[in-house]
Amino acid sequence: SAVISQKPSRDICQRGTSLTIQCQVDSQVTMMFWYRQQPGQSLTLIATANQGSEATYESGFVIDKFPISRPNLTFSTLTVSNMSPEDSSIYLCSVGEGFTYEQYFGPGTRLTVT
Amino acid sequence: AQSVTQLGSHVSVSEGALVLLRCNYSSSVPPYLFWYVQYPNQGLQLLLKYTTGATLVKGINGFEAEFKKSETSFHLTKPSAHMSDAAEYFCAVSSNNRLAFGKGNQVVVIP
């Protein structure tokens, strides 16, 4: 399975600012995903990021708030824009592999907005 | 659309006792099913998966799960809990190139 790293691992940010989270994979993958995990909650899919196409956002998430880049087959970024305390969450990237669409996850970025 | 139900957000189990986490799914097509574990301050790790074939699947750390189509279930078990099993566990079903997750079970192991 792919090895996935994320930067930063955690951050504390002030409201109104933006943070860009990086996701690096050790092999080329087609499908990458970004999730949000609010405290004590399950995972919510933000968007699917496939190389060579625009990211596909889930209901309730918009590009202006969560712009995503996918410049190549091993890297992606998620930006959390104009942050508010409600954006305090863990943000996880994952990659999809195989015909079963199983996913492998990065360690997550723990974001606190004050 | 596929969905997953996990009941009982918090599960307490004594060290050495059976761990049983229940997962029921809804799916209009033969499902691919997964259990993930999340240790404190870490990402999700794949415990095991069911794709096709044998309905009893074995995973890492002594866990196993059985796919029962008639019951639309994929319950996770471990015969003897260890303190290191304290974590959150998520059941998931694949659908349209994406995963649908259950709400998770927080497992507490009592010495």
Side-chain angles (χ1 to χ4, degrees):
Chain A
S1 63
V3 177
I4 306 158
S5 60
Q6 285 185 236
K7 290 181 181 179
S9 59
R10 61 179 66 240
D11 207 342
I12 301 174
C13 302
Q14 292 191 343
R15 69 175 66 205
T17 63
S18 298
L19 176 72
T20 295
I21 302 168
Q22 299 179 6
C23 180
Q24 180 74 53
V25 188
D26 70 342
S27 58
Q28 295 184 336
V29 294
T30 301
M31 294 184 291
M32 293 184 75
F33 306 86
W34 287 98
Y35 290 85
R36 182 175 71 184
Q37 185 180 24
Q38 294 178 304
Q41 302 294 316
S42 186
L43 282 74
T44 302
L45 181 63
I46 298 171
T48 303
N50 293 337
Q51 197 270 338
S53 62
E54 295 288 325
T56 303
Y57 289 83
E58 297 299 300
S59 176
F61 297 95
V62 294
I63 188 171
D64 289 347
K65 175 68 175 177
F66 297 101
I68 288 171
S69 77
R70 182 77 201 274
N72 56 52
L73 290 173
T74 63
F75 187 78
S76 178
T77 66
L78 169 76
T79 299
V80 186
S81 304
N82 188 26
M83 289 183 285
S84 66
E86 291 71 33
D87 294 319
S88 297
S89 292
I90 301 172
Y91 292 86
L92 298 128
C93 71
S94 72
V95 302
E97 293 187 359
F99 68 95
T100 61
Y101 308 119
E102 63 198 70
Q103 294 182 21
Y104 295 90
F105 288 80
T109 296
R110 283 154 183 78
L111 171 63
T112 302
V113 183
T114 60
Chain B
Q2 276 82 335
S3 66
V4 172
T5 301
Q6 290 179 253
L7 298 178
S9 60
H10 284 76
V11 176
S12 294
V13 59
S14 297
E15 189 175 16
L18 171 72
V19 180
L20 170 60
L21 303 180
R22 300 180 186 274
C23 172
N24 289 90
Y25 68 90
S26 67
S27 174
S28 58
V29 297
Y32 300 132
L33 295 158
F34 309 88
W35 275 99
Y36 286 87
V37 60
Q38 185 177 33
Y39 297 104
N41 299 313
Q42 296 187 27
L44 274 70
Q45 180 180 5
L46 182 63
L47 261 183
L48 49 78
K49 63 183 178 183
Y50 169 77
T51 56
T52 59
T55 57
L56 181 64
V57 293
K58 297 185 183 299
I60 61 173
N61 302 338
F63 284 93
E64 63 182 35
E66 185 170 13
F67 169 62
K68 291 187 177 180
K69 184 178 179 180
S70 61
E71 299 178 7
T72 60
S73 69
F74 191 55
H75 301 332
L76 181 71
T77 60
K78 181 174 180 177
S80 177
H82 192 273
M83 296 300 294
S84 60
D85 295 326
E88 185 141 25
Y89 295 79
F90 295 96
C91 184
V93 60
S94 67
S95 166
N96 297 326
N97 296 346
R98 60 191 62 181
L99 293 180
F101 286 89
K103 292 188 175 182
N105 294 121
Q106 183 69 51
V107 171
V108 176
V109 182
I110 302 168

